[in-house]
Amino acid sequence: EILKQDPIFEFMSFYKFNNKNYNVQIGPKVINMSITAPYNGWEDFRIFLNDKVTKFSNLIEKRTIKQVSMRYVNFFDNINIFDNINIEIKDEFLCSDFSASKKRGYRTLINCNDMEMSLQIDNSVGIRQELDKKEKKGSIIDIDLKSDIKINDSSEIIQNAEELHNRIKETFFNILKEEYIKNLEPKFKE
């Protein structure tokens, strides 16, 4: 009864499904999706998501989902990502002894249409991937996109997830300089 009455629990996830690379969390009014390294491509994740949505459609269809979110954290090993992005941030206005090699991190919230994006860019991150257990230093571009939308049918979740994925992908590639994208040699599946 407390869970129904306290608004702090409204968008809390109660069920979590994951494998090595993917997490899907479902709550009374929310579905959260996150993807970790190594990223095997959207189609692979969509199959995982579709499987979970199909298996647990009874949880979803008894409620009205009001929020769907997806997050990608992109790590760049041993790179100062600020040298490779289209966003210009003038640190020298904030600090007279600014040096481009220093630690930098920026976070902003962007509201666009019916979505809210949290964008974080940082050039001094240490991560430990489960594959090799070694700590790596580098930069991240962290894009967390939230859609406030009413979903009454589980089939709408895949469609909404596809839209979130496309927005995140578009944002990611718009942030990076074109010459850096060419150096990454991305391979897109049709």
Side-chain angles (χ1 to χ4, degrees):
E1 195 61 33
I2 292 172
L3 296 177
K4 290 179 183 177
Q5 293 177 359
D6 193 336
I8 199 164
F9 296 112
E10 183 176 22
F11 294 108
M12 185 175 273
S13 302
F14 296 131
Y15 303 95
K16 182 177 182 177
F17 312 99
N18 58 2
N19 70 9
K20 257 189 332 192
N21 306 61
Y22 310 127
N23 296 301
V24 175
Q25 299 176 29
I26 301 173
K29 296 183 181 179
V30 66
I31 293 183
N32 299 313
M33 295 163 271
S34 62
I35 300 160
T36 58
Y39 179 54
N40 294 324
W42 172 249
E43 188 60 29
D44 192 51
F45 177 72
R46 196 179 64 69
I47 291 167
F48 174 78
L49 178 61
N50 192 50
D51 177 61
K52 299 309 170 211
V53 167
T54 302
K55 283 181 181 171
F56 298 95
S57 62
N58 61 330
L59 289 175
I60 297 162
E61 293 181 4
K62 289 180 182 174
R63 300 166 173 88
T64 298
I65 301 294
K66 292 184 176 179
Q67 189 178 91
V68 179
S69 67
M70 182 177 291
R71 182 176 188 189
Y72 281 77
V73 179
N74 301 278
F75 180 75
F76 301 87
D77 193 13
N78 224 8
I79 298 277
N80 181 352
I81 199 62
F82 289 101
D83 296 334
N84 299 294
I85 61 174
N86 290 314
I87 299 171
E88 185 176 354
I89 302 164
K90 301 274 188 178
D91 289 312
E92 58 271 14
F93 294 122
L94 303 172
C95 179
S96 60
D97 71 341
F98 167 76
S99 167
S101 64
K102 289 186 178 178
K103 294 180 181 181
R104 297 170 74 190
Y106 293 96
R107 184 175 186 271
T108 188
L109 289 173
I110 302 163
N111 287 296
C112 184
N113 300 327
D114 60 341
M115 298 190 181
E116 179 182 285
M117 179 185 301
S118 171
L119 172 65
Q120 181 175 325
I121 303 172
D122 197 312
N123 73 347
S124 58
V125 176
I127 67 160
R128 186 180 311 270
Q129 289 186 327
E130 288 193 32
L131 297 175
D132 58 15
K133 305 285 187 205
K134 293 178 185 173
E135 181 156 325
K136 295 180 179 184
K137 300 271 187 205
S139 298
I140 60 163
I141 296 177
D142 180 346
I143 304 170
D144 192 352
L145 190 58
K146 177 175 67 174
S147 172
D148 292 326
I149 187 168
K150 288 190 177 174
I151 294 177
N152 295 304
D153 184 279
S154 58
S155 64
E156 295 174 44
I157 292 168
I158 304 299
Q159 179 183 345
N160 192 262
E162 190 91 36
E163 185 180 338
L164 290 172
H165 165 74
N166 288 335
R167 283 258 186 111
I168 290 173
K169 182 177 170 181
E170 178 183 5
T171 300
F172 176 75
F173 284 106
N174 284 339
I175 289 171
L176 295 176
K177 290 180 179 176
E178 195 170 321
E179 57 271 15
Y180 185 66
I181 294 170
K182 288 177 185 172
N183 288 341
L184 292 175
E185 299 176 348
K187 293 174 179 64
F188 300 106
K189 294 180 183 177
E190 294 299 319

